[in-house]
Amino acid sequence: MSDNKAKLDINGTVHDYPVLKGSVGPDVVDIRKLYGQTGAFTFDPGYKSTASCESGLTYIDGEEGVLLHRGYPIGQLAENSSFMEVSYLLLNGELPQQQELDDFSYTITRHTMLHDQLRQFYQGFRRDAHPMAIMCGVVGALSAFYHDSTDISDPEHRKISSHRLIAKMPTIAAWAYKYSVGQPFLQPQNDLSYTGNFLRMTFGVPAEEYELHPAVEQAMDRIFILHADHEQNASTSTVRLAGSSGANPFACVAAGIACLWGPAHGGANEAALNMLKEIGTPDRIPHYIERAKDKNDPFRLMGFGHRVYKNYDPRAAVMQKTVREVFDALNVKDPVFETALALEEIALNDDYFREKKLFPNVDFYSGIILSAIGFPTTMFTALFALARTVGWVAQWNEMISDPGQVIGRPRQLYTGPTERDYLSMDKR
Ligand code: ACO
């Protein structure tokens, strides 16, 4: 907080508004009293200049390419931590002691099973249903199964539902995949890690023992860490907005999944990989660069640009390194990766991309790794949803725990007709 004031002159009258200071990052002009004092609203449709909440979870400095979870840089977490530890950190604010981490992992592991009746939900989907369609439906349906954890005013209920969501998401996502390929669902196995369990439920079959590849398990875990939270992005804001009405967390997370599905958000890695395959070989890159620069062509370089990062997305750097590790471990050579590297190089040296500060984002390389591991493109966003669930529930918990929390209810700049009388059919 500070004594600084912002002055706003509306029709000749000057109003003072407090300027709030976070622990780091831009100052925030507190305009909560603006409407009451002046009758005016602010107008910021894409929220480009709006801080929608106060939060202590995740910090991004888009100009510098910095991403911190509870203060810890994403690169350090990706290098040294595990998804379980990052989940604990996001939910509880501090890195765990060994016993705390063991207890947390044990609890999550013991919540991974789905109620057996939920299996029948899957049968209701067409077998070619997109996994995200299944995820939206099944996660929303959890509200009907776990009544004992939907009293959001009870911190214990909130904790249990958060654990359930984090724990059940790998089972839900793996079964969405199994359903699409017509293979039997595998039940979770408690002696495996969170990520190992997910890989086995996805790629294992009952007829034989699934062999976990340590490099793949580690890469997958790292991908989960990279997607765990990302401040007030569109899907997180959706979860918060849905939650602000008092809706239960399963319904709120289903809303987040729906938002994440869009190609401008979580759907971008699928779109990026499809684009790289369409480009095919490095000699065709200039043609696509020209298309991306052409105002009359709707084509954009998918996996490039970000609302907040106006510098290299720190997650993209880790992702690029992880591609190499997975390729080396699996002895894979994929021309798509060569095309991606060449495209990055050409775009980063192109004035259009430099001037607009368009850099590769996390989605540029993630599709290449996921594809090498064996996931079809339709599963990419489902994996993102799985990992982001921890951020969604941590943000939702933070919001609900705030005693001053109110329903999110934006206003508008109305440009429709002014009042007019209803006309009967014969007079129109
Ligand atoms: N290719 C070509 N031009 C681009 C691209 C791109 N990928 N991204 C932005 N631009 C251009 C726009 O045409 C615009 O140009 P203009 O100022 O001449 O009109 C300018 O850069 C700014 O773009 P906006 O769309 O206004 O920026 P915004 O912050 O609203 O959009 C977004 C960010 C949606 C991510 C955008 O960069 C994009 O569509 N990228 C491709 C999709 C993608 O990769 N999304 C993943 C985001 S990361 C995530 O969700 C995990």
Side-chain angles (χ1 to χ4, degrees), residues 91-145:
L91 287 172
N92 299 291
E94 295 297 336
L95 287 170
Q97 299 296 331
Q98 188 61 52
Q99 191 58 49
E100 290 170 324
L101 179 59
D102 293 347
D103 291 349
F104 179 71
S105 303
Y106 180 90
T107 305
I108 296 297
T109 305
R110 262 66 192 174
H111 276 301
T112 48
M113 278 172 65
L114 295 183
H115 191 291
D116 209 46
Q117 268 188 310
L118 267 168
R119 296 166 76 93
Q120 286 160 30
F121 269 77
Y122 285 81
Q123 316 304 326
F125 288 95
R126 268 173 61 135
R127 71 168 181 221
D128 57 354
H130 196 288
M132 286 296 276
I134 299 182
M135 301 273 288
C136 284
V138 174
V139 172
L142 294 179
S143 356
F145 283 82

Side-chain angles (χ1 to χ4, degrees), residues 133-384:
I134 299 182
M135 301 273 288
C136 284
V138 174
V139 172
L142 294 179
S143 356
F145 283 82
Y146 301 106
H147 297 295
D148 58 336
S149 61
T150 51
D151 176 2
I152 63 158
S153 63
D154 182 336
E156 196 54 27
H157 276 220
R158 293 206 299 273
K159 191 161 114 183
I160 297 171
S161 57
S162 301
H163 290 167
R164 280 186 168 139
L165 275 158
I166 295 168
K168 292 183 196 307
M169 211 51 99
T171 317
I172 293 170
W175 286 12
Y177 172 71
K178 284 297 189 206
Y179 187 70
S180 70
V181 291
Q183 290 181 2
F185 297 155
L186 293 189
Q187 291 295 343
Q189 199 172 294
N190 287 354
D191 59 344
L192 296 177
S193 71
Y194 182 88
T195 302
N197 207 3
F198 169 66
L199 287 168
R200 181 188 153 273
M201 284 191 288
T202 305
F203 296 119
V205 286
E208 57 191 57
E209 202 55 42
Y210 176 68
E211 249 184 73
L212 256 181
H213 198 300
V216 171
E217 187 180 0
Q218 194 191 32
M220 193 76 244
D221 202 70
R222 196 175 284 162
I223 291 170
F224 289 161
I225 293 175
L226 295 180
H227 287 90
D229 192 42
H230 209 227
E231 206 224 45
Q232 306 311 320
N233 58 86
S235 57
T236 301
S237 298
T238 301
V239 171
R240 278 189 180 255
L241 195 56
S244 76
S245 73
N248 75 72
F250 304 107
C252 296
V253 168
I257 295 172
C259 177
L260 185 73
W261 195 355
H265 193 4
N269 54 8
E270 184 173 342
L273 186 66
N274 289 340
M275 176 196 76
L276 289 168
K277 284 184 178 159
E278 188 189 316
I279 295 175
T281 46
D283 58 301
R284 285 163 50 85
I285 291 172
H287 168 65
Y288 285 88
I289 294 272
E290 286 317 306
R291 282 191 61 193
K293 287 162 34 175
D294 182 354
K295 283 244 161 293
N296 299 316
D297 188 333
F299 175 80
R300 283 186 168 201
L301 279 193
M302 298 313 286
F304 255 79
H306 195 276
R307 170 60 64 80
V308 179
Y309 292 116
K310 302 303 169 196
N311 200 324
Y312 209 98
D313 179 342
R315 301 167 302 170
V318 181
M319 208 57 102
Q320 198 207 70
K321 186 169 160 250
T322 310
V323 179
R324 287 192 196 285
E325 285 169 12
V326 169
F327 278 22
D328 287 350
L330 299 180
N331 206 8
V332 171
K333 279 206 172 15
D334 185 349
V336 170
F337 185 41
E338 303 311 320
T339 307
L341 289 173
L343 176 59
E344 177 185 333
E345 166 126 22
I346 292 172
L348 292 183
N349 287 306
D350 187 290
D351 285 346
Y352 173 93
F353 290 89
R354 284 223 297 246
E355 274 157 25
K356 294 191 188 305
K357 300 187 174 172
L358 298 169
F359 293 86
N361 59 49
V362 67
D363 291 321
F364 190 62
Y365 287 108
S366 62
I368 299 173
I369 310 183
L370 296 174
S371 174
I373 293 176
F375 291 103
T377 48
T378 51
M379 274 299 285
F380 292 179
T381 321
L383 302 174
F384 191 161

